């Protein structure tokens, strides 16, 4: 089956049903699957994880405008999605508020987002939500775990994706279009762009949560429905409330989520220590919740007490399952290959530094605008311009924010300015010419 042109697809969600093979079953892959499924197309997700459900990442997400719009379009589960933060504020080393402003933002959790998407995509039941009734206008949704993609090749008018399982069983899946949504270490991108490397930036994000009811009154006041920051030499930390166990948003049962950036120079003993788990395995990018080396974390707890305001030190020291993420940079020069038969989405296209709080929004936006293109609602040129412009512009912004935060001494006003710029809604951004050239 040939790939229809935009003109052929226009009207009634496209005149032909396509089969999209999506590599990656985290948020980007699920977002793309949901958006294309809603158009009536068939989708198959290939996820390398050997178990059916991904591990709870234990992470908070700032749900930007595109994330909220995505759930408005595609979420049919009737339940709260986020905790609302009403203010943004900055503390000094003593824990006093030195700047605050009214700004409403919505905070959610990776696990609630994931299970809502799975409920809507392939009907996975969980304590997070009730599965919606099937929509007869939707395409078929297939989710296959334990499928590590090894290569792909054109076959007739489509593309065949080859994979193997953890038991060394080999197989393949044929589709019309291949979507690479397999994250910053994307296998699909490596095949297409072998010269593009994911590079460590010299610092890590130390992360974790504390149940709201276990926090002191001072910590509850600092983080209760507030997005709170602290900057120090080579250090930035932020915290906010997110849904708790099974996605509850009940006060007292919510979680205080923190992200604590600290410098660990490449090749240093400190980096090796923090990235080596309790079993002695050196992790390259992430030390997952529950496997952080207790001795290494105890050192970080001690440093937190020395470096941070008391409210922040409390949540860092109080978390039961901390985890560590090396902050990295990666971006592909383009996002469409093989005459449109292969497309990169979200982090597979551009891995943003977490300062941008835009990775989930990028996945949601990329999925929605690609679906709009497939449905004939926008031109190919507009799809490419908006997707690649967002990727390049925000990726560069993240680099600049990270370098300023971790390696420069700035005024409080400069930090506030950087954060406010990062909060500009995507649709209000004006991309420079270099960002949209293709």
């Amino acid at each position: 089956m040939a790939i229809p042109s935009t003109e052929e697809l226009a009207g009634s969600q496209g005149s032909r049903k396509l089969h999209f093979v999506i590599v990656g079953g985290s948020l980007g892959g699920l977002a793309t699957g949901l958006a294309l499924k809603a158009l009536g197309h068939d989708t198959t997700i290939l996820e390398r994880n050997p178990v059916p459900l991904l591990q709870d990442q234990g992470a908070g997400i700032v749900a930007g405008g595109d994330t909220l719009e995505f759930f408005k379009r595609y979420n049919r589960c009737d339940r709260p999605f986020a905790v609302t933060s009403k203010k943004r504020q900055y503390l000094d080393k003593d824990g006093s508020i030195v700047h605050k402003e009214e700004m409403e933002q919505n905070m959610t959790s990776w696990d609630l987002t994931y299970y809502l998407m799975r409920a809507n995509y392939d009907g996975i039941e969980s304590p997070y939500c009730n599965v919606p009734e099937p929509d007869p206008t939707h395409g078929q949704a297939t989710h296959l775990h334990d499928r590590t993609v090894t290569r792909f090749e054109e076959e007739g008018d489509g593309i065949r994706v080859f994979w193997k399982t953890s038991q060394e069983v080999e197989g393949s899946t044929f589709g019309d279009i291949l979507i690479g949504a397999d994250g910053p270490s994307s296998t699909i991108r490596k095949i297409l762009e072998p010269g593009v490397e994911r590079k460590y930036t010299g610092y890590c994000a130390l992360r974790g949560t504390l149940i709201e009811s276990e926090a002191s009154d001072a910590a509850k006041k600092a983080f209760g429905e507030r997005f709170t920051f602290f900057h120090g030499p080579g250090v930035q930390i932020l915290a906010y409330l997110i849904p708790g166990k099974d996605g509850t948003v009940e006060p007292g049962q919510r979680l205080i989520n923190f992200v604590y950036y600290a410098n660990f120079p490449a090749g240093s003993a400190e980096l090796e220590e923090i990235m080596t788990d309790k079993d002695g395995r050196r992790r390259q990018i992430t030390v997952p919740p529950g496997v952080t080396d207790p001795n290494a974390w105890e050192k970080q707890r001690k440093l937190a007490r020395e470096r941070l305001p008391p409210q922040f030190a409390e949540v860092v020291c109080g978390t039961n399952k901390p985890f560590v993420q090396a902050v990295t940079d990666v971006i592909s020069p383009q996002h469409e290959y093989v005459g449109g038969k292969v497309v990169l989405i979200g982090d597979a296209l551009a891995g943003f530094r977490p300062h941008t709080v835009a990775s989930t929004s990028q996945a949601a936006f990329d999925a929605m605008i690609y679906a709009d293109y497939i449905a004939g609602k926008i031109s190919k040129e507009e799809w490419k311009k908006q997707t690649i412009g967002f990727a390049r512009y925000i990726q560069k912004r993240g680099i600049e924010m990270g370098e300023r935060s971790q390696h420069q001494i700035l005024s409080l006003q400069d930090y506030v300015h950087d954060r406010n710029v990062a909060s500009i809604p995507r649709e209000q951004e004006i991309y420079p010419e270099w960002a949209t050239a293709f």
Side-chain angles (χ1 to χ4, degrees), residues 72-90:
K72 181 180 178 181
R73 288 193 195 184
Y74 303 114
N75 176 38
R76 296 186 296 128
C77 298
D78 184 17
R79 58 144 300 147
F81 169 62
V83 175
T84 300
S85 171
K86 300 177 181 178
K87 294 181 180 181
R88 184 181 289 169
Q89 63 186 21
Y90 294 75

Side-chain angles (χ1 to χ4, degrees), residues 180-414:
D182 47 342
S185 295
S186 170
T187 296
I188 304 304
R189 189 191 64 243
K190 289 177 182 176
I191 294 171
L192 295 164
E193 300 280 359
V196 173
E197 298 180 12
R198 186 179 185 185
K199 296 181 179 179
Y200 176 59
T201 63
Y203 61 101
C204 295
L206 314 181
R207 308 191 65 168
T209 59
L210 180 69
I211 297 175
E212 187 179 13
S213 61
E214 296 180 359
S216 67
D217 289 342
K220 291 176 184 175
K221 184 176 180 181
F223 309 123
E225 299 181 355
R226 290 167 172 80
F227 196 179
T228 304
F229 298 81
F230 169 74
H231 289 267
V235 168
Q236 178 193 8
I237 188 167
L238 55 91
Y240 50 84
L241 287 175
I242 63 172
K245 179 178 172 57
D246 298 335
T248 181
V249 294
E250 287 297 315
Q253 299 178 44
R254 301 171 296 188
L255 301 175
I256 301 172
N257 172 82
F258 69 84
V259 185
Y260 171 23
Y261 301 102
N263 293 344
F264 295 88
S268 67
E270 292 81 7
L271 178 64
E272 295 304 303
E273 181 180 52
I274 199 64
M275 295 304 297
T276 301
D277 68 21
K278 65 181 183 180
D279 298 319
R281 176 184 171 189
R282 171 55 159 93
R283 304 283 183 144
Q284 293 304 307
I285 303 295
T286 302
V287 184
V291 300
T292 304
D293 177 27
N295 293 325
W297 190 254
E298 185 56 39
K299 289 186 180 181
Q300 296 308 315
R301 294 176 68 192
K302 182 176 183 296
L303 287 171
R305 296 187 190 100
E306 297 171 358
R307 294 173 171 175
L308 304 179
Q311 303 97 315
F312 277 113
E314 177 186 334
V315 295
V316 172
C317 294
T319 186
N320 291 322
K321 289 187 176 181
F323 63 106
V324 183
Q325 295 174 321
V327 178
T328 62
D329 291 325
V330 67
I331 187 167
S332 177
Q334 56 183 318
H335 67 133
E336 182 190 31
Y337 300 83
V338 198
K341 291 183 182 180
V342 182
V343 174
L344 298 179
I345 291 286
D347 288 343
L349 167 59
F352 297 159
R353 295 197 192 187
H355 310 279
T356 64
V357 296
S359 290
T360 304
S361 287
Q362 181 193 25
F365 173 67
D366 285 1
M368 289 189 292
I369 197 169
Y370 183 65
D372 286 347
Y373 162 59
I374 290 297
K377 295 180 179 179
I378 61 171
S379 68
K380 182 174 185 176
E381 181 179 4
E382 184 67 10
W383 163 61
K384 290 176 70 71
K385 178 181 177 181
Q386 291 297 325
T387 305
I388 205 73
F390 186 39
R392 291 172 179 167
Y393 193 59
I394 303 303
Q395 201 262 353
K396 182 176 183 291
R397 174 183 288 166
I399 292 174
E400 293 170 348
M401 289 183 69
E403 293 307 301
R404 285 163 62 84
S405 171
Q406 298 306 121
H407 303 299
Q408 299 179 28
I409 304 298
L410 305 178
S411 68
L412 173 63
Q413 289 72 24
D414 286 329

